[in-house]
Amino acid sequence: MEFKGHPAVEELSTLLRGESPRCAVIVAAAYFDETLAGLLVDTRNRSFYARIDDALEWGLLTPNEHADLHVLRELRNGFAHDLRIKDFDLSSGARAASLATWRVASAARSLERVLQTPLGQLLFVVGVIAFRLHKRNKPTEKSGPLPEPPMTDFASWPPVTSI
């Protein structure tokens, strides 16, 4: 899958291209950890978990994005802490299919016919959240979660143009 439209997101697409599921999950999680740290102006050595929760409190994430980034974090932990896991198994595949952003998009656009693998589904969500984050400004005060965008908002739901 190829992401276009913002230099940082295009770089992420290049970093993920051709990678194994394990590597793609680890790279995607590192990308979001770094991106959230920048948006939160967080120079402390904090956990990805804390940054995800802070981003929700400061109005950088919707509830679905928040939940999906925690799923990505859990998948990353599974791949990073067990050297024998190289691909999605039944459990991690089910986690990818349960991503809230994926469920909303696939129900509205019938994407499951195009993106049938857990990795494809996860990368779709990674692309959507990455695009959204690069349209958001650094917060000045805590404002709570952002509302979920409607499916007709193509600025928030970029179309899949290349798989």
Short mmCIF file of all heavy atoms in Angstrom, two decimals, residues 22 25-26 71-86 92:
data_model
loop_
_atom_site.label_atom_id
_atom_site.label_comp_id
_atom_site.label_asym_id
_atom_site.label_seq_id
_atom_site.Cartn_x
_atom_site.Cartn_y
_atom_site.Cartn_z
N ARG A 22 6.06 -8.35 11.00
CA ARG A 22 6.70 -7.97 12.26
C ARG A 22 7.35 -6.60 12.14
O ARG A 22 7.15 -5.72 12.97
CB ARG A 22 7.73 -9.01 12.68
CG ARG A 22 8.53 -8.57 13.89
CD ARG A 22 9.54 -9.56 14.41
NE ARG A 22 10.22 -10.33 13.41
CZ ARG A 22 10.88 -11.45 13.67
NH1 ARG A 22 10.91 -11.94 14.89
NH2 ARG A 22 11.49 -12.10 12.71
N VAL A 25 4.79 -3.62 11.71
CA VAL A 25 4.13 -3.25 12.96
C VAL A 25 5.08 -2.44 13.84
O VAL A 25 4.69 -1.40 14.40
CB VAL A 25 3.61 -4.51 13.69
CG1 VAL A 25 3.21 -4.19 15.12
CG2 VAL A 25 2.44 -5.12 12.94
N ILE A 26 6.32 -2.87 13.96
CA ILE A 26 7.29 -2.19 14.81
C ILE A 26 7.59 -0.79 14.26
O ILE A 26 7.63 0.20 15.01
CB ILE A 26 8.55 -3.03 15.00
CG1 ILE A 26 8.22 -4.29 15.82
CG2 ILE A 26 9.67 -2.23 15.65
CD1 ILE A 26 9.32 -5.33 15.86
N VAL A 71 -4.06 -0.80 20.14
CA VAL A 71 -3.96 -2.13 19.51
C VAL A 71 -2.62 -2.25 18.79
O VAL A 71 -1.93 -3.27 18.92
CB VAL A 71 -5.13 -2.38 18.54
CG1 VAL A 71 -4.89 -3.64 17.70
CG2 VAL A 71 -6.45 -2.51 19.31
N LEU A 72 -2.23 -1.23 18.05
CA LEU A 72 -0.93 -1.24 17.38
C LEU A 72 0.20 -1.41 18.39
O LEU A 72 1.13 -2.20 18.18
CB LEU A 72 -0.73 0.05 16.57
CG LEU A 72 0.63 0.22 15.90
CD1 LEU A 72 0.87 -0.87 14.86
CD2 LEU A 72 0.73 1.61 15.27
N ARG A 73 0.12 -0.72 19.51
CA ARG A 73 1.14 -0.83 20.56
C ARG A 73 1.20 -2.25 21.09
O ARG A 73 2.28 -2.81 21.28
CB ARG A 73 0.81 0.16 21.70
CG ARG A 73 1.77 0.12 22.87
CD ARG A 73 1.25 0.98 24.02
NE ARG A 73 -0.08 0.62 24.46
CZ ARG A 73 -0.38 -0.45 25.22
NH1 ARG A 73 0.58 -1.27 25.61
NH2 ARG A 73 -1.62 -0.70 25.58
N GLU A 74 0.04 -2.87 21.32
CA GLU A 74 0.02 -4.24 21.82
C GLU A 74 0.58 -5.22 20.79
O GLU A 74 1.31 -6.15 21.14
CB GLU A 74 -1.41 -4.64 22.20
CG GLU A 74 -1.93 -3.88 23.42
CD GLU A 74 -3.43 -3.98 23.60
OE1 GLU A 74 -4.11 -4.63 22.77
OE2 GLU A 74 -3.94 -3.39 24.57
N LEU A 75 0.25 -5.00 19.51
CA LEU A 75 0.81 -5.84 18.45
C LEU A 75 2.32 -5.67 18.40
O LEU A 75 3.07 -6.65 18.26
CB LEU A 75 0.19 -5.50 17.10
CG LEU A 75 -1.27 -5.91 16.90
CD1 LEU A 75 -1.83 -5.28 15.63
CD2 LEU A 75 -1.41 -7.42 16.86
N ARG A 76 2.78 -4.43 18.49
CA ARG A 76 4.22 -4.18 18.52
C ARG A 76 4.90 -4.92 19.65
O ARG A 76 5.94 -5.56 19.47
CB ARG A 76 4.48 -2.67 18.66
CG ARG A 76 5.97 -2.33 18.65
CD ARG A 76 6.49 -1.38 19.66
NE ARG A 76 5.89 -1.33 20.95
CZ ARG A 76 5.87 -0.25 21.70
NH1 ARG A 76 6.37 0.89 21.25
NH2 ARG A 76 5.34 -0.28 22.90
N ASN A 77 4.30 -4.87 20.83
CA ASN A 77 4.89 -5.56 21.98
C ASN A 77 4.97 -7.06 21.73
O ASN A 77 5.96 -7.70 22.07
CB ASN A 77 4.09 -5.26 23.25
CG ASN A 77 4.28 -3.85 23.73
OD1 ASN A 77 5.14 -3.12 23.25
ND2 ASN A 77 3.45 -3.44 24.67
N GLY A 78 3.93 -7.62 21.12
CA GLY A 78 3.94 -9.05 20.82
C GLY A 78 5.05 -9.42 19.86
O GLY A 78 5.79 -10.39 20.08
N PHE A 79 5.19 -8.64 18.78
CA PHE A 79 6.24 -8.92 17.79
C PHE A 79 7.63 -8.65 18.35
O PHE A 79 8.58 -9.38 18.07
CB PHE A 79 6.03 -8.09 16.53
CG PHE A 79 4.99 -8.64 15.59
CD1 PHE A 79 3.84 -7.91 15.31
CD2 PHE A 79 5.16 -9.87 14.98
CE1 PHE A 79 2.88 -8.40 14.44
CE2 PHE A 79 4.20 -10.37 14.10
CZ PHE A 79 3.06 -9.64 13.83
N ALA A 80 7.77 -7.59 19.14
CA ALA A 80 9.09 -7.19 19.61
C ALA A 80 9.62 -8.06 20.75
O ALA A 80 10.83 -8.17 20.92
CB ALA A 80 9.06 -5.72 20.07
N HIS A 81 8.73 -8.69 21.49
CA HIS A 81 9.17 -9.43 22.67
C HIS A 81 9.12 -10.95 22.51
O HIS A 81 9.40 -11.67 23.46
CB HIS A 81 8.35 -9.01 23.89
CG HIS A 81 8.58 -7.57 24.25
ND1 HIS A 81 9.77 -7.12 24.77
CD2 HIS A 81 7.77 -6.48 24.14
CE1 HIS A 81 9.68 -5.81 24.97
NE2 HIS A 81 8.49 -5.40 24.59
N ASP A 82 8.77 -11.42 21.32
CA ASP A 82 8.80 -12.85 21.05
C ASP A 82 9.47 -13.05 19.70
O ASP A 82 8.87 -12.81 18.65
CB ASP A 82 7.39 -13.44 21.05
CG ASP A 82 7.39 -14.96 20.96
OD1 ASP A 82 8.40 -15.55 20.49
OD2 ASP A 82 6.38 -15.56 21.36
N LEU A 83 10.70 -13.48 19.72
CA LEU A 83 11.50 -13.62 18.49
C LEU A 83 10.93 -14.65 17.52
O LEU A 83 11.28 -14.64 16.35
CB LEU A 83 12.93 -14.00 18.86
CG LEU A 83 13.68 -12.98 19.70
CD1 LEU A 83 15.05 -13.52 20.10
CD2 LEU A 83 13.82 -11.67 18.95
N ARG A 84 10.07 -15.52 17.98
CA ARG A 84 9.53 -16.56 17.12
C ARG A 84 8.33 -16.10 16.30
O ARG A 84 7.93 -16.75 15.35
CB ARG A 84 9.17 -17.78 17.96
CG ARG A 84 10.42 -18.51 18.45
CD ARG A 84 10.16 -19.33 19.69
NE ARG A 84 11.41 -19.68 20.35
CZ ARG A 84 12.09 -18.89 21.16
NH1 ARG A 84 11.66 -17.68 21.42
NH2 ARG A 84 13.21 -19.28 21.71
N ILE A 85 7.73 -14.99 16.68
CA ILE A 85 6.56 -14.49 15.96
C ILE A 85 7.04 -13.63 14.80
O ILE A 85 7.71 -12.62 15.01
CB ILE A 85 5.63 -13.69 16.89
CG1 ILE A 85 5.12 -14.56 18.02
CG2 ILE A 85 4.46 -13.10 16.09
CD1 ILE A 85 4.28 -13.81 19.04
N LYS A 86 6.70 -14.05 13.59
CA LYS A 86 7.12 -13.31 12.40
C LYS A 86 5.93 -12.77 11.60
O LYS A 86 6.08 -11.89 10.77
CB LYS A 86 7.95 -14.21 11.49
CG LYS A 86 9.25 -14.67 12.11
CD LYS A 86 10.00 -15.56 11.16
CE LYS A 86 11.28 -16.04 11.83
NZ LYS A 86 12.01 -16.95 11.00
N SER A 92 -3.52 -12.24 16.71
CA SER A 92 -3.10 -10.91 16.25
C SER A 92 -3.84 -10.52 14.97
O SER A 92 -4.12 -9.34 14.76
CB SER A 92 -1.59 -10.85 16.06
OG SER A 92 -1.14 -11.80 15.12
#
